[in-house]
Amino acid sequence: MKRGREEPGRLRGEPPPRWARIAPAVALVALVLAQALTPDVELGFFLAGLPPVAAFAYGAGGTAVFAAVVLLLLGLPTLGVGHARGTDLATVAAVGLLSVVIAWVRQRRDAQLVSVRTVAEAAQLAVLPPVPERVGAVRCSGLYRAAQRGTLVGGDLYDVRAGPHGVRALVGDVQGHGLAAVGTVAALLGAFREGVIDDAGLAAVAGRLDRRLVTDARAASVEHPELFATAVLLEFPPGLDLVRIVSCGHPPALRLRGAAVEELVVEPGPPLGLGLAGPALPAVAELPLRPGDQLLLHTDGVTEARDAAGHFYPLAARVPVLARDPGGLVRAVWRDLAAFTDGGPRDDVALLLLSLDGPG
């Protein structure tokens, strides 16, 4: 499965870098050698600072080893490193013991953090699972980047599902971004997955999503009465070389046909959640597809990203060049976008590339 977003597992944290584990040992050897080369200068007591440093990279056992080595080097005059006695040696021992306690507490907190982040990762992946390479007769490639660092899900969403009425796809962008928007994302995705199975028409699916947000907005506090989302829905009917599109205030999709790229301009409906559709469902556009046609759907986190001079990212102009990248179009767009914005946009980004490729 292709999922161009922060890879699962990265939320759980990583072990200390290798240099952090090597640094205390290197400093220990360097101080011992420096003391041996300069016997007239007292350098041994610098060793007392090594156990606290080791506590940030080692567990309680490894820190205890460093503390014991330091005590031996400072407490045995025959080694020629230090000449600690009485209260000085007791102070070094106390520092070593405190370092062991710090290492033990840090290790326990790290284990708790890994557990919490693992649960959070599983929950986010349940809300927005990876898009398969193929859904029915449709090939898929998706990329997702949440604006809030350390999260897998933000305020954008996409999904591709097969149902009795064909393969349907959704790309949307809810109001706001980050963790505050995840609940709305989950509600929309749940409603979409029900609509794929239950609703005969694509416009009816859009109406279901609209009602979901209207209901949630009424149930929410007065602080968020303006809950809404933009979305574009696609349907690939079984056995037909065409695509049906419903736009709810969302940026238009791009069609790649050979070297040509064009925006699929359809009659836009109102954003979801405003309750403006009423009994009149949004218009459905039908567009023919040729072999090799690809549809690129995106959120405004792509086209509204700016460079240092304030220019918007020219997605349609860049796609013909990026489509030749052997690594795939969506990943090429992300790399190009990150370079354009010098590190990546500050908004959530979702890209979904679809093509009708015949049954698998």
Side-chain angles (χ1 to χ4, degrees):
M1 292 184 181
K2 296 182 179 179
R3 180 65 177 262
R5 65 177 183 184
E6 192 170 6
E7 296 298 329
R10 291 186 60 185
L11 297 187
R12 304 179 190 175
E14 298 178 353
R18 180 173 297 180
W19 64 263
R21 298 179 64 85
I22 295 176
V26 171
L28 178 67
V29 173
L31 285 171
V32 170
L33 291 177
Q35 183 64 77
L37 295 175
T38 56
D40 297 334
V41 180
E42 184 64 38
L43 299 176
F45 283 102
F46 284 106
L47 294 172
L50 294 183
V53 174
F56 288 98
Y58 289 86
T63 304
V65 169
F66 270 99
V69 170
V70 168
L71 281 174
L72 287 175
L73 291 174
L74 294 179
L76 295 178
T78 56
L79 298 178
V81 177
H83 305 85
R85 289 290 184 274
T87 56
D88 291 338
L89 197 60
T91 300
V92 174
V95 170
L97 179 61
L98 182 60
S99 300
V100 172
V101 173
I102 292 173
W104 179 77
V105 172
R106 180 194 60 80
Q107 202 169 30
R108 281 179 58 86
R109 291 182 64 87
D110 285 351
Q112 293 173 350
L113 183 60
V114 167
S115 177
V116 170
R117 287 184 170 178
T118 301
V119 173
E121 176 183 311
Q124 292 179 75
L125 288 176
V127 171
L128 199 63
V131 174
E133 292 185 357
R134 179 191 291 271
V135 178
V138 178
R139 286 191 174 275
C140 316
S141 180
L143 181 142
Y144 195 103
R145 289 290 187 276
Q148 185 166 335
R149 186 175 179 83
T151 62
L152 297 177
V153 181
D156 289 355
L157 63 145
Y158 59 39
D159 201 3
V160 185
R161 298 275 165 161
H165 310 290
V167 176
R168 288 170 171 170
L170 165 69
V171 173
D173 182 0
V174 308
Q175 174 200 18
H177 59 265
L179 294 177
V182 174
T184 306
V185 168
L188 284 174
L189 287 172
F192 171 73
R193 291 160 188 168
E194 291 177 358
V196 167
I197 299 173
D198 297 337
D199 296 326
L202 190 62
V205 180
R208 179 188 291 263
L209 300 181
D210 181 70
R211 291 192 302 273
R212 175 75 272 168
L213 289 190
V214 169
T215 302
D216 289 350
R218 289 173 180 169
S221 65
V222 183
E223 297 177 1
H224 302 285
E226 69 280 8
L227 184 65
F228 69 92
T230 65
V232 59
L233 295 94
L234 275 67
E235 179 181 272
F236 298 88
L240 300 177
D241 293 331
L242 61 86
V243 61
R244 299 188 178 115
I245 303 177
V246 169
S247 175
C248 301
H250 199 77
L254 300 179
R255 180 172 61 189
L256 288 72
R257 177 171 287 173
V261 176
E262 64 173 326
E263 289 187 349
L264 297 181
V265 181
V266 300
E267 183 180 348
L272 303 172
L274 300 183
L276 300 180
L281 295 175
V284 179
E286 283 193 3
L287 298 172
L289 291 178
R290 298 178 185 174
D293 283 359
Q294 299 181 86
L295 303 178
L296 180 63
L297 291 80
H298 59 89
T299 55
D300 60 11
V302 178
T303 51
E304 293 184 3
R306 298 173 182 260
D307 62 8
H311 300 126
F312 290 111
Y313 179 70
L315 177 63
R318 297 293 299 151
V319 163
V321 177
L322 299 175
R324 298 194 291 267
D325 191 298
L329 175 60
V330 292
R331 293 185 180 275
V333 170
W334 171 253
R335 289 194 298 268
D336 191 55
L337 181 62
F340 181 84
T341 57
D342 192 21
R346 297 183 179 180
D347 197 2
D348 302 314
V349 167
L351 290 163
L352 185 62
L353 184 67
L354 305 173
S355 60
L356 191 61
D357 198 41

